[in-house]
Amino acid sequence: MPSKLFYFAVASVLVGYYFYIPLPENVEERWKIMFIDSTIRTMVHLVDFFEMTGISHYVDIMAILMSYGKAQPKSDENVTVTEETFNKVPVWLYVPKKPSNTRRRAVIYIHGGGWCSGNPHSYDFLTRQMADRLNAIVVSVDYRLAPAHPFPAAFEDAYAAAKFFLQKEVVDQYNVDPGRICVSGDSAGGNLAAAVTQQLQEDIEVKFKPKMQALVYPALQTIDLDTPSYRDNSNLAFLRRWDMVKMWSNYFVIDKSLREAMESNTHITLESNNLLKFANWSNLLTDDLKSDHVYNSPPKGKSEFLKRYPVITDPRAAPLLVDDDRLNNLPLTYVLTCMYDVLRDDGFMYVARLKQAGVQVVHDHYDNAFHGMLSLGTWPVDLDLSLATIMVNNYINWLNKNL
C-alpha cells in the first residue's frame, strides 16, 4: 500500500502542475503572477464545471458572485464617496476634500470585467487614487451586466450617465471645468469608453465634449478573433482566448452555438466583408507584431449568426468597426496595451486607424505585461506587483499632465 509520503508527492506534483504556467523570459515576479493566475483559473473552472454538470446556469452563478462583490461607498480623509443616480444609472461619485482654486477636472470611469462582472467597488482602489491624486471629480459608472442584461444595456447605461454629467447644470453643480473632462475605462470598460466617446462626439444634444479618452487594454472588435495576439497569447496568464470568446458571446446572447462559432472564428458571413478592412491586422499592425503570422480573412458564409444577431458588428459593441469619417473628430486619445494580452492587437489597430484619421494619439505599450494588471489592487492580499504599480502611476500621471 502506498505510503502517505507517496500520496503527498503525487498531490504536490499535481498542485505544482496546475499552479505552473510557462511565462516569457522578460516577465518579472513570475511566481506572484502564477499565483494570481491559478486563483483566477480556479474560479473560471468552477463556473464552467457547475454549468457543464447542470448544477447551476452561468447566469445564476454570475448573479451570486456579483452579490458578494457589492459594497457601500466609503469616504476617507481625502475623498468623499457617495452613491448617486445619473439619468437612472447608479454611479459612485468621488469628490476630493482638498480645496481647489479653479474648477476641477473630471474623469468618467467605466470599469472592466468582460461586461458580466465588476462594479464601482471592485475598482475603488483605482478611482479613489485618481480622485485624490488628480484633485478631480471621478464618476464610476455601475452599468447593468450581461448576460442578464445583454448588449446594448451596458453601453446605454454608460452613455446615459456620461451624457447626464456633461450637462451645463451638472458640471456647474460639481464645479467642473467642462473643457477638462475625460472618458476612460479598461478592458470591457475600455470598449464602452471608446464607443461612448464616439457617440458623444456626434450627439448634437451634447454641448460639452470630452477633452480626451483614455483606453486601457480595450476590447474593440468582434470580427477576427484570430489575430496574432489571440494566437500568441491564447493560453497565457489572466485572460485566455477561450475566456475572451466566452465573454464576447455572453455579451450578446446566451447561445452556445454562437460561442463555438466565435471560438472557430466562423461567425462572420459574407455580409460583413466590407467591415474586414477595419480589422485587417496585416495592414494595421507593425512588422514585429505580425512576425511570422500569415493573415487569413475570417471564413465567410459558414454561418448565419450575423443574420440572427446583427449586434455582433454594431459599432457600439465593436468601436474599431466604424467608418474612417467617424474617427477624425475624436479627441486626444491615450491607449495602453500589453504584449502578453489577447486584446493587444485591438489596441494597436485602433491606434493605427486613429493616426491615419489625424487624431492625436499617445500609445503606452508594455512589452512585459499582461491583461488586467491595473486591477491587481483589488486583491485581498498585498502582492506588491511592482509593474502593476508602475502602470497605474504612469496612467494617472499622464492624466494629470494632459487633462
Side-chain angles (χ1 to χ4, degrees):
M1 182 176 180
S3 66
K4 293 181 178 180
L5 181 61
F6 172 79
Y7 287 123
F8 176 78
V10 171
S12 298
V13 170
L14 292 175
V15 170
Y17 177 78
Y18 182 79
F19 181 77
Y20 177 81
I21 56 171
L23 295 174
E25 290 297 324
N26 64 335
V27 172
E28 300 177 355
E29 301 177 296
R30 306 166 72 86
W31 287 105
K32 292 180 182 179
I33 290 174
M34 291 181 193
F35 171 76
I36 299 170
D37 179 71
S38 64
T39 305
I40 294 173
R41 278 188 287 123
T42 299
M43 295 174 61
V44 171
H45 291 166
L46 283 174
V47 171
D48 289 342
F49 173 77
F50 288 146
E51 183 175 37
M52 180 181 65
T53 56
I55 296 175
S56 182
H57 194 276
Y58 176 84
V59 178
D60 300 323
I61 300 171
M62 291 308 304
I64 294 172
L65 292 176
M66 287 303 96
S67 67
Y68 285 112
K70 290 289 185 179
Q72 296 299 314
K74 294 182 179 180
S75 302
D76 59 27
E77 66 276 11
N78 299 315
V79 182
T80 299
V81 189
T82 58
E83 188 168 13
E84 309 290 343
T85 301
F86 284 3
N87 198 12
K88 300 181 181 180
V89 179
V91 303
W92 280 22
L93 186 70
Y94 294 77
V95 180
K97 292 183 177 179
K98 67 182 67 170
S100 176
N101 296 326
T102 61
R103 285 196 169 213
R104 297 185 191 275
R105 301 174 286 189
V107 178
I108 300 168
Y109 195 84
I110 309 172
H111 69 78
W115 305 280
C116 64
S117 66
N119 51 59
H121 171 64
S122 61
Y123 276 75
D124 181 71
F125 83 102
L126 178 62
T127 45
R128 190 178 297 268
Q129 282 192 65
M130 292 165 63
D132 182 35
R133 292 170 56 179
L134 299 174
N135 196 19
I137 302 291
V138 175
V139 179
S140 185
V141 183
D142 193 6
Y143 56 86
R144 288 170 292 170
L145 299 174
H149 302 282
F151 175 84
F155 170 82
E156 290 176 342
D157 287 356
Y159 190 76
K163 185 173 180 177
F164 179 90
F165 185 73
L166 289 167
Q167 297 177 96
K168 183 180 187 306
E169 55 268 30
V170 178
V171 295
D172 287 346
Q173 176 185 349
Y174 295 111
N175 196 32
V176 168
D177 184 341
R180 304 177 74 190
I181 299 173
C182 173
V183 178
S184 184
D186 69 294
S187 192
N191 163 281
L192 293 168
V196 165
T197 303
Q198 287 179 1
Q199 187 146 323
L200 286 172
Q201 295 300 112
E202 300 171 357
D203 192 334
I204 60 174
E205 296 179 356
V206 178
K207 304 303 180 184
F208 300 143
K209 307 295 186 181
K211 180 182 180 181
M212 63 181 66
Q213 60 176 337
L215 314 177
V216 178
Y217 31 75
L220 297 172
Q221 59 89 22
T222 52
I223 62 173
D224 189 358
L225 306 185
D226 191 39
T227 66
S229 61
Y230 270 106
R231 298 174 187 175
D232 292 341
N233 305 313
S234 62
N235 289 302
L236 285 183
F238 302 163
L239 181 65
R240 288 159 176 78
R241 182 178 184 273
W242 171 243
D243 298 325
M244 193 63 228
V245 166
K246 185 165 60 176
M247 290 174 187
W248 269 124
S249 63
N250 286 334
Y251 185 35
F252 300 121
V253 64
I254 295 296
D255 182 343
K256 288 187 177 180
S257 62
L258 173 61
R259 186 187 303 179
E260 292 169 357
M262 296 184 85
E263 166 68 10
S264 60
N265 215 36
T266 57
H267 58 293
I268 300 302
T269 59
L270 290 172
E271 289 85 348
S272 66
N273 189 47
N274 63 315
L275 299 176
L276 292 175
K277 61 184 178 182
F278 297 141
N280 186 332
W281 56 262
S282 66
N283 297 328
L284 295 170
L285 294 184
T286 56
D287 290 340
D288 59 318
L289 295 180
K290 288 185 287 187
S291 185
D292 296 326
H293 294 286
V294 176
Y295 177 78
N296 296 308
S297 295
K300 299 180 289 295
K302 292 188 176 181
S303 75
E304 299 298 319
F305 287 108
L306 280 184
K307 292 182 179 179
R308 289 161 55 188
Y309 309 122
V311 295
I312 293 175
T313 56
D314 190 320
R316 297 174 300 168
L320 185 63
L321 305 185
V322 298
D323 293 328
D324 293 339
D325 58 6
R326 293 189 60 192
L327 296 178
N328 56 24
N329 65 341
L330 290 174
L332 169 64
T333 299
Y334 170 93
V335 178
L336 185 154
T337 56
C338 301
M339 178 61 76
Y340 306 122
D341 179 3
V342 294
L343 298 178
R344 178 198 68 205
D345 295 344
D346 284 20
F348 269 85
M349 288 190 287
Y350 202 44
V351 167
R353 289 197 60 209
L354 289 173
K355 287 182 177 179
Q356 291 172 4
V359 177
Q360 184 180 357
V361 184
V362 174
H363 186 186
D364 193 7
H365 178 65
Y366 293 85
D367 64 4
N368 58 344
F370 297 86
H371 184 89
M373 293 191 70
L374 263 68
S375 301
L376 294 183
T378 61
W379 282 68
V381 294
D382 182 10
L383 293 170
D384 194 27
L385 200 60
S386 59
L387 181 56
T389 301
I390 291 171
M391 292 169 69
V392 169
N393 287 338
N394 289 347
Y395 164 71
I396 294 178
N397 289 340
W398 186 87
L399 288 175
N400 190 42
K401 180 179 178 181
N402 294 277
L403 183 57

